[in-house]
Amino acid sequence: MSILVTGSTGFLGSHILDSLAKRGKKVKVIARKESSLKLKSWSNIEEIFLTENIFLESEKWMCAKLNGVDKIIHAAWYAEPGKYLTSELNLECLSGTLKLASAASKMGVKKFVGIGTCAEYQNSDKPMSINTPLEPKLLYSVSKAACFSVLSKYFENKETEFAWARIFYLYGEREDPRRFIPYLRSQLSKGKTAKLTNGDQIRDFINVADAAKILVDIAYKDMDGVFNVCSGKPVSIRDLALSIAKEYGAEDCLKFGAREPNLLDPPYVVGVPNFEI
């Protein structure tokens, strides 16, 4: 029996492969054809199932790929920076994930680990625990919360264990250059201006490698339910930017207030970890 990873060439998915490789675990992956060349870096991959779009595949196709699979870490979802929060492709990801879950149950998969988001939670000025009420506001987080709600009920009377991991703010190797920290490093390393908001937002950042390790632990340990994948350590965007700028001696390149704040951007997002790294 083996573990199958979706979204294996993505930011988080690639680190999940790293974590599995460190444990000597053989893995099967579902990947888009155009990104499959990236998978040559991992010698522990025993089988690659290529697709144009996993979410548009039939349940029958999914069942065939799950033959002999014991566990699934489902990291695939549309996540293009600047677009994913409001994209209608979230609906496609939601419906495709439900098909995958149904296929998993039919094929006797023992564990299904789904990936959620901290944006499912109600905005709060206090750290978010797994008991914090849900109140998603954008199509991405609404779709994730709906996925959690449906799968929680669906797997309730099935033999497949279900875990839902709500991811907070990831950073680290292989991060998309359009995301905040890579953008900042790119600008500062060249001595260019980094245009920022006032930087008062408080965030909970966790290294993507640590997040991947938690997900693999969840997959292989006898545990189900909801998990916050976070550090539990609050940091302001201003303080984070200043600490990075100091590495380059480029504090003067930070232009706080040069961007208008996003009114949909919550002022405080910090998690309460319920799983130790």
Side-chain angles (χ1 to χ4, degrees):
M1 304 298 283
S2 61
I3 186 167
L4 180 136
V5 177
T6 71
S8 55
T9 60
F11 180 37
L12 178 58
S14 66
H15 286 273
I16 293 170
L17 293 184
D18 286 345
S19 185
L20 288 166
K22 289 176 182 177
R23 301 179 193 213
K25 302 292 186 182
K26 293 293 184 181
V27 59
K28 297 181 180 182
V29 302
I30 296 177
R32 288 180 179 269
K33 293 178 181 178
E34 65 267 23
S35 60
S36 60
L37 288 177
K38 298 178 183 178
L39 296 171
K40 290 183 178 181
S41 301
W42 290 274
S43 60
N44 61 318
I45 296 176
E46 61 180 1
E47 199 161 6
I48 300 172
F49 304 119
L50 298 179
T51 177
E52 295 291 344
N53 186 339
I54 181 177
F55 300 108
L56 297 182
E57 297 289 359
S58 68
E59 186 174 319
K60 181 179 179 180
W61 183 93
M62 294 177 180
C63 284
K65 305 306 180 272
L66 294 178
N67 186 36
V69 170
D70 189 41
K71 307 172 190 297
I72 296 173
I73 301 179
H74 179 45
W77 200 278
Y78 177 68
E80 185 175 357
K83 297 182 179 181
Y84 74 97
L85 290 174
T86 58
S87 173
E88 292 184 5
L89 291 175
N90 284 294
L91 303 182
E92 186 178 282
C93 296
L94 172 58
S95 62
T97 297
L98 300 183
K99 281 188 290 184
L100 181 64
S102 177
S105 177
K106 289 177 180 177
M107 295 303 295
V109 173
K110 294 180 180 179
K111 186 75 166 277
F112 187 103
V113 181
I115 307 298
T117 169
C118 59
E120 294 174 59
Y121 289 123
Q122 184 180 78
N123 289 346
S124 174
D125 58 359
K126 298 178 181 179
M128 300 166 174
S129 76
I130 61 170
N131 297 315
T132 297
L134 302 185
E135 193 180 337
K137 297 185 180 301
L138 297 171
L139 191 54
Y140 169 71
S141 51
V142 168
S143 299
K144 287 283 191 176
C147 190
F148 164 70
S149 180
V150 172
L151 293 187
S152 294
K153 184 59 64 175
Y154 176 73
F155 283 122
E156 201 171 63
N157 299 311
K158 305 291 184 183
E159 294 185 5
T160 304
E161 273 190 293
F162 173 57
W164 188 253
R166 293 198 175 110
I167 310 294
F168 281 66
Y169 289 78
L170 299 178
Y171 72 93
E173 187 182 356
R174 306 178 203 130
E175 191 169 0
D176 190 295
R178 292 169 289 182
R179 288 164 60 98
F180 174 65
I181 292 178
Y183 160 76
L184 200 57
R185 289 192 178 279
S186 176
Q187 293 296 101
L188 298 177
S189 66
K190 300 170 186 174
K192 293 184 177 180
T193 297
K195 296 181 179 180
L196 308 171
T197 64
N198 58 22
D200 292 340
Q201 308 96 314
I202 304 296
R203 295 290 180 262
D204 183 327
F205 285 92
I206 181 171
N207 190 288
V208 65
D210 292 332
K213 180 181 182 300
I214 291 173
L215 293 171
V216 172
D217 282 344
I218 291 170
Y220 279 93
K221 292 186 177 182
D222 185 19
M223 50 178 45
D224 55 13
V226 179
F227 300 90
N228 275 349
V229 180
C230 60
S231 69
K233 300 174 182 177
V235 61
S236 73
I237 294 298
R238 176 180 286 270
D239 287 345
L240 176 62
L242 284 169
S243 68
I244 293 174
K246 286 179 182 178
E247 296 178 25
Y248 300 95
E251 294 95 321
D252 291 344
C253 292
L254 299 177
K255 300 302 178 185
F256 292 105
R259 289 188 180 183
E260 290 294 321
N262 183 347
L263 297 179
L264 295 175
D265 199 20
Y268 185 93
V269 182
V270 177
V272 177
N274 61 328
F275 192 96
E276 293 185 4
I277 298 173

